[in-house]
Amino acid sequence: MTETKVDKKPGFDHTLVDAKWQAQWERDQTYATPTDRTKPKYYILDMFPYPSGDGLHVGHPKGYTATDVVARAKRMMGFNVLRVMGWDSFGLPAERRAERTGEHPSVITERNIGIFKKQLQRLGLSYDWSRELATSDPRFYKWTQWIFRMMFERDLAFRAEMPVNFCPALGTVLSNEEVHEGKYVETGDPVERRLMHQWVLKITQYADKLLDDLDGLDWPSGTMTKQRDWIGRSVGANVKFGVVGSDEKITVFTTRPDTLFGGTWVVLAPEHPLVDAITTPEQRAAVAVYREEVGKRSERERTMEAADAPKTGVPTGAFAVNPVNGAHIPIWIADYVLASYGTGAVFACPAGDERDHAFATKFGLPIVEVVTGSPDVQKEPFTGDGPHVNSGFLDGLRNEEAKTKVIAWLAERGLGEASIRYKLRDWLFSRQRYWGEPFPLIQRQDGSFEAVPEGQLPIVLPQIDEYRPTRDGKPPLARAEAWLKATDAAGQPATRETNTMPQWAGSCWYYLRFLSPQRDDVAWDPEEEKYWMPVDLYVGGNEHAVLHLLYARFWHKVLHDAGLVSTKEPFPRLFHQGMVHKTSYRSAAGKYFHAHEVEQRDGQWVVKETGEPVETKLDKMSKSRYNVVNPDDLCAEYGADAVRLYELFMGPLEDGVEWDTKGVPGTRRFLDRVWRLLVDPETDALSGKVGDLGGDNRELERTLHAAIKKVTAAVADLRFNTAISEMMVFVNVATPAAAIPRPWFEAFVKILAPFAPHVAEEIWQRLGHTTSITAEPWPAFDEAKLARDVLHIGVQVSGKLRAQIEVPSDATEQAILTAAKAADGVQPFLAGKAIKREIYIKGRLVNLVV
RNA sequence: GCGAAUGUGGCGGAAUUGGUAGACGCGCUGGAUUCAGGUUCCAGUGGGUAACACCGUGGGGGUUCGAGUCCCCCCAUUCGCACCA
């Protein structure tokens, strides 16, 4: 913006005020973390960002501003606040840029961090920057390696050859959590299954704790549900089916052992190891054809088709023996049974399972009702609870009793036992990338691995000339020939592990490093951990509902078992801020356009220059979509405080919104109105309106206390939009007032300060104070001051509003009813009718029923 | 297909949880200040009407003196999950 400043200033000069106070806070170390231990603590944490080359857009500060308001208010409320920021700075984008430009990823990362940090500081966020950290800093990842080493020593990390998700475009494997519908969730690149040697963390060992400990958390319920579903605990039984004419046994896993009497066939996954052994000669050809068909279709295709796909399968020709009734039932193979879950084999009870029912219908297999409750199990399966029938010793029992009884019955005979299964798989923890933490491991000559001694940490990333995998498919670190050479504990030559850790590693524990970021002798100080942990409020996007939040909980529980942290859970309270969207404009060819390049003609959006139609979509903000709004520009034009206020004023914090820059002048106007209550814009001197007079303005006092109450509650509940409204109401009442008592105005400035710290400091100073408003105690509200002198009562006749009356707040019910009946708008509707009922809702309305 | 959430003026959103729908802001209209634009201030702003009436919280039913709020049935949008036995 080059336009000249208007001569008459309507309010304060944000350029001067923002710079002045940001400099002063830095000089005074206003936001340094307190070291005394006399006050209660409050650890408030933002999910730290990956410092991308795009820089910050207005979506980022939404959550950061919210936590900043809470942090500032909590300081004023007498808490020691830990408020910190860091960088999740290992990751793919920097590495890919390095591949293109040859620049080292650390250089790229450092530059991006500089940009991000400057942008955050421009907003006046009250971070203790002396605790800044970056996961790609050796001083940090030394301890990531240290924790991994501990996990390795505790047998929680192992190397295995297993089918893994391999992404050819990235040249690396990925975890289950990073793959959705056969694609990498970040980039959409296709992923395939490959058998590879990889490092795995035993997260499944913690499945129960990760599930059970969700119960005490104050988290969004949707996120807890996602974690529960991801862990996917199923309680059931393993049941052994004999094979007719063979010694082989087929073990199936089922959650419904009570329906065993309705089991009319058995299905093996096509990959099941017993298939070859049991298939009869007549069926061999058909089975071979089917298995080949299935093998051709990728995992992705198989999962994409999902539940409503038509069922396929072929019989093996062999028969199984149903253990509960000795019935001989056919054994099929079908791809709706997954080799990777349970035992890779199921028994089918079509009367009680939709998939089995669909299969039975398609292949004409028998359906036997075992649980009563459905009108016709031949047509519809019944999955609910009910008395059992056709079930021998289970007849008459309901589901749960039947399950217990049949499991006991099977166990007595060695035919089965209770079993619990999880959907959660162990965490594939190695990546074939350069820009990540090297594993603190060396491989001995015999192929086994040992951890490097603690004293040798960190294992620093070597410099290499190219960041791609080697020609023979080894990870990039294999290029560092000198670095590879190591010596094992026995003094023999050994080789360093060349995989690196996934990006999630650093974020699994960064919240602990913030406690003692300067210490190089420990990961964190145990005394600091005892004081500050757990994180009292954790705020970030819900895109991490499973990945980061599950991984971090897992590491935390491992650390807890190792006696290194004092709490079972790291984040007892979690809040997701909603995403900020912006319309994007894309042509049929896939090219994006800036908003100023398009216009609407006859209801159709087109490119101004060419008239080419474009598709509009409410989209994530990103540079590649040309829909980014930069907070720096807004701060320059309206000041940081107006931007902060608007971020929170847009709507509820948890909701997604479309960014609309037109709203920012509104919050700026509000701040100017606050400013003018104190300062005469003509002279820049105090206007004298704030002073000793005006104490008889009950309405002004009431709105002040209403605002204090609302803002105080907002800090607890993270509901800022209505709190800002309430402050606006105060200013709307104060503006026409002839005088404002100084204590009232000061209380107001204090509750405004967390939202608009720069202008609040400036006002505070002009009020004659010499210390920062950030150290002022939080004002209290008086419930008695919230009462109105005059009540406005709505008067309804038979439920329809007809009039409004004003009565003194101490009026009796009798007096109010009399006034209501006499009210102008009411009379015509009462004329000639008898009042059947009179309802009075205290202080709100009267309803006269005729 | 299953599950969850959401649906209120031209727009973002309020509504003390069954009690005066539309707080606050944006936008818009009119007026004052101003040479003018901008700024600021005042008034207005759900639809409708000259004014009433009347109609209004996605649609349709219901409970109630009274429903945005509770119940039932639809519709739409968004987000998850997707053969997990």
Side-chain angles (χ1 to χ4, degrees):
Chain A
M1 295 280 146
T2 52
E3 57 187 67
T4 48
K5 276 266 168 280
V6 284
D7 47 347
K8 191 160 65 168
K9 293 194 196 83
F12 63 103
D13 181 340
H14 62 262
T15 311
L16 289 178
V17 169
D18 286 3
K20 169 180 168 182
W21 289 102
Q22 284 171 16
Q24 181 133 341
W25 294 330
E26 189 167 350
R27 189 167 59 241
D28 295 349
Q29 288 297 295
T30 306
Y31 306 117
T33 309
T35 51
D36 73 276
R37 292 294 176 261
T38 57
K39 293 182 189 171
K41 65 93 182 181
Y42 196 80
Y43 184 1
I44 184 165
L45 185 65
D46 300 296
M47 288 186 188
F48 65 164
Y50 173 78
S52 77
D54 290 354
L56 222 58
H57 59 67
V58 289
H60 291 100
K62 189 179 170 187
Y64 304 156
T65 311
T67 50
D68 204 54
V69 170
V70 175
R72 287 173 179 275
K74 285 282 179 185
R75 289 191 192 104
M76 295 170 79
M77 290 172 184
F79 288 84
N80 280 339
V81 170
L82 179 58
R83 171 151 177 77
V84 284
M85 179 49 75
W87 315 103
D88 192 12
S89 49
F90 272 133
L92 272 174
E95 180 166 348
R96 297 180 119 186
R97 190 178 166 83
E99 282 174 13
R100 286 200 309 275
T101 65
E103 230 178 342
H104 194 272
S106 67
V107 175
I108 296 166
T109 301
E110 206 168 313
R111 184 172 58 229
N112 291 346
I113 286 174
I115 294 167
F116 261 67
K117 184 173 176 181
K118 205 170 162 210
Q119 288 184 296
L120 290 177
Q121 288 178 320
R122 181 68 190 84
L123 285 158
L125 298 165
S126 63
Y127 294 116
D128 176 356
W129 284 108
S130 73
R131 293 186 181 233
E132 178 183 2
L133 57 77
T135 56
S136 59
D137 180 345
R139 281 183 69 194
F140 181 93
Y141 71 69
K142 168 182 179 179
W143 300 107
T144 311
Q145 293 171 337
W146 178 76
I147 295 170
F148 174 85
R149 189 183 181 283
M150 184 267 290
M151 294 173 99
F152 178 80
E153 299 283 303
R154 291 176 157 246
D155 284 332
L156 288 165
F158 65 99
R159 190 168 180 268
E161 183 174 43
M162 56 194 291
V164 295
N165 304 299
F166 182 81
C167 178
L170 305 178
T172 185
V173 299
L174 298 165
S175 73
N176 286 331
E177 290 78 9
E178 289 170 308
V179 177
H180 185 66
E181 292 184 348
K183 294 180 208 160
Y184 176 40
V185 291
E186 294 288 327
T187 62
D189 289 314
V191 171
E192 56 192 54
R193 298 296 275 187
R194 274 195 196 176
L195 204 61
M196 292 173 79
H197 280 285
Q198 293 297 325
W199 286 97
V200 177
L201 296 185
K202 284 189 192 168
I203 191 171
T204 53
Q205 196 167 310
Y206 282 82
D208 279 320
K209 281 183 180 171
L210 288 168
L211 190 63
D212 296 341
D213 290 347
L214 284 171
D215 283 342
L217 301 180
D218 179 7
W219 280 26
S221 62
T223 299
M224 296 222 267
T225 304
K226 278 185 202 166
Q227 293 225 344
R228 286 198 185 97
D229 289 350
W230 190 263
I231 295 165
R233 176 158 68 189
S234 301
V235 178
N238 288 333
V239 182
K240 285 181 196 160
F241 283 66
V243 179
V244 176
S246 159
D247 293 336
E248 301 288 359
K249 296 268 187 207
I250 296 170
T251 302
V252 307
F253 173 71
T254 177
T255 56
R256 294 296 304 275
D258 58 309
T259 64
L260 269 169
F261 283 92
T264 45
W265 72 95
V266 165
V267 192
L268 304 182
E271 304 89 341
H272 195 284
L274 278 181
V275 174
D276 283 329
I278 62 168
T279 301
T280 59
E282 306 80 66
Q283 287 302 110
R284 268 188 206 288
V287 165
V289 167
Y290 185 73
R291 292 176 92 179
E292 202 191 320
E293 282 296 310
V294 170
K296 261 194 277 183
R297 289 158 63 233
S298 66
E299 185 90 358
R300 182 177 161 197
E301 284 171 303
R302 270 172 77 178
T303 48
M304 289 278 282
E305 287 164 5
D308 44 348
K311 294 284 177 286
T312 62
V314 293
T316 61
F319 285 81
V321 181
N322 188 331
V324 291
N325 59 9
H328 289 191
I329 57 179
I331 303 171
W332 286 61
I333 61 170
D335 70 351
Y336 81 89
V337 174
L338 307 176
S340 54
Y341 183 76
T343 60
V346 303
F347 83 90
C349 174
D353 184 282
E354 285 171 25
R355 294 152 306 181
D356 297 339
H357 197 277
F359 199 83
T361 309
K362 174 154 182 191
F363 293 107
L365 291 156
I367 299 169
V368 177
E369 180 173 42
V370 281
V371 182
T372 52
S374 129
D376 183 1
V377 291
Q378 301 302 321
K379 290 209 180 80
E380 285 286 325
F382 178 69
T383 56
D385 190 13
H388 283 54
V389 291
N390 302 320
S391 293
F393 60 91
L394 301 178
D395 278 352
L397 297 179
R398 299 183 76 91
N399 296 12
E400 286 311 310
E401 303 156 332
K403 281 181 195 172
T404 309
K405 187 159 180 184
V406 75
I407 289 171
W409 188 92
L410 291 165
E412 272 170 34
R413 287 158 183 78
L415 295 169
E417 74 280 319
S419 172
I420 296 174
R421 300 274 166 177
Y422 302 89
K423 247 163 74 175
L424 182 71
R425 306 299 154 78
D426 279 328
W427 177 14
L428 199 144
F429 195 67
S430 42
R431 300 290 182 275
Q432 292 72 54
R433 306 300 311 186
Y434 172 75
W435 193 229
E437 300 87 348
F439 282 87
L441 296 170
I442 53 174
Q443 188 167 25
R444 304 186 188 104
Q445 281 173 320
D446 67 0
S448 64
F449 285 83
E450 69 179 40
V452 303
E454 269 187 54
Q456 288 182 23
L457 300 181
I459 305 300
V460 178
L461 271 175
Q463 297 286 337
I464 54 176
D465 46 16
E466 211 189 327
Y467 304 108
R468 298 170 198 279
T470 62
R471 286 252 172 81
D472 53 348
K474 288 194 187 128
L477 287 186
R479 294 173 182 276
E481 282 169 33
W483 178 85
L484 285 179
K485 294 195 181 81
T487 308
D488 69 15
Q492 297 299 306
T495 315
R496 292 197 188 281
E497 169 64 46
T498 54
N499 283 298
T500 51
M501 299 186 202
Q503 190 180 357
W504 309 104
S507 59
C508 276
W509 75 282
Y510 75 114
Y511 55 93
L512 291 163
R513 184 62 183 169
F514 278 127
L515 307 178
S516 330
Q518 314 295 1
R519 293 278 294 268
D520 290 320
D521 56 331
V522 287
W524 58 85
D525 181 323
E527 291 305 314
E528 296 288 293
E529 190 278 332
K530 280 196 192 74
Y531 179 71
W532 288 110
M533 284 299 289
V535 176
D536 295 275
L537 176 62
Y538 195 30
V539 177
N542 70 358
E543 66 273 17
H544 294 117
V546 174
L547 291 150
H548 158 61
L549 287 165
L550 191 67
Y551 295 152
R553 291 181 63 225
F554 163 48
W555 277 41
H556 193 86
K557 288 185 180 305
V558 173
L559 295 171
H560 185 250
D561 284 354
L564 293 166
V565 295
S566 55
T567 65
K568 286 210 295 198
E569 287 285 333
F571 316 122
R573 184 174 178 210
L574 171 72
F575 196 96
H576 295 310
Q577 87 279 8
M579 206 183 295
V580 175
H581 298 274
K582 186 75 186 156
T583 304
S584 65
Y585 305 90
R586 193 170 65 143
S587 69
K591 182 170 161 32
Y592 283 97
F593 292 87
H594 287 109
H596 63 79
E597 295 175 307
V598 297
E599 63 184 357
Q600 206 168 14
R601 289 182 201 156
D602 308 323
Q604 166 67 49
W605 285 93
V606 298
V607 181
K608 279 184 196 164
E609 298 249 317
T610 62
E612 185 185 4
V614 286
E615 195 184 320
T616 63
K617 188 184 166 204
L618 208 49
D619 231 335
K620 262 188 190 171
M621 274 195 200
S622 72
K623 240 182 186 172
S624 57
R625 293 184 180 88
Y626 288 166
N627 64 348
V628 169
V629 179
N630 187 328
D632 295 353
D633 299 343
L634 296 172
C635 285
E637 192 168 358
Y638 302 104
D641 291 334
V643 176
R644 292 169 57 108
L645 268 173
Y646 185 63
E647 291 274 357
L648 300 176
F649 185 61
M650 286 187 292
L653 186 62
E654 64 272 29
D655 289 358
V657 282
E658 176 172 18
W659 180 266
D660 182 10
T661 296
K662 286 206 294 292
V664 184
T667 50
R668 171 56 199 249
R669 262 195 288 274
F670 161 66
L671 294 174
D672 282 335
R673 283 157 68 88
V674 174
W675 179 257
R676 290 196 304 266
L677 292 176
L678 182 71
V679 179
D680 182 341
E682 300 282 354
T683 62
D684 199 43
L686 300 193
S687 67
K689 183 165 163 173
V690 173
D692 300 332
L693 301 173
D696 54 346
N697 191 338
R698 293 266 74 86
E699 181 61 7
L700 182 62
E701 189 179 30
R702 191 188 66 74
T703 56
L704 171 67
H705 284 264
I708 297 172
K709 182 178 182 177
K710 197 85 177 180
V711 173
T712 305
V715 169
D717 303 341
L718 269 43
R719 293 205 321 259
F720 300 110
N721 53 331
T722 51
I724 294 168
S725 298
E726 214 61 36
M727 290 193 286
M728 288 173 168
V729 170
F730 171 81
V731 174
N732 290 348
V733 174
T735 295
I740 305 168
R742 184 187 173 98
W744 297 1
F745 186 70
E746 293 200 340
F748 173 75
V749 178
K750 287 183 197 173
I751 60 169
L752 177 65
F755 297 84
H758 307 84
V759 73
E761 289 276 33
E762 185 65 24
I763 290 173
W764 194 244
Q765 191 177 59
R766 296 213 182 190
L767 281 164
H769 298 283
T770 52
T771 54
S772 169
I773 195 168
T774 58
E776 287 297 311
W778 191 252
F781 63 91
D782 181 351
E783 201 69 49
K785 301 274 169 62
L786 291 168
R788 292 171 195 267
D789 293 340
V790 177
L791 299 178
H792 297 259
I793 309 257
V795 182
Q796 297 180 335
V797 178
S798 295
K800 281 194 181 265
L801 189 70
R802 297 302 179 186
Q804 195 183 77
I805 55 172
E806 286 186 19
V807 296
S809 56
D810 55 356
T812 63
E813 180 172 344
Q814 220 24 263
I816 290 168
L817 285 172
T818 306
K821 281 179 256 184
D824 278 351
V826 172
Q827 278 301 316
F829 295 95
L830 290 179
K833 290 173 189 149
I835 296 174
K836 282 192 281 194
R837 230 175 122 183
E838 297 174 357
I839 294 157
Y840 172 59
I841 305 300
K842 196 166 185 301
R844 302 200 65 85
L845 65 70
V846 169
N847 190 4
L848 304 168
V849 184
V850 295

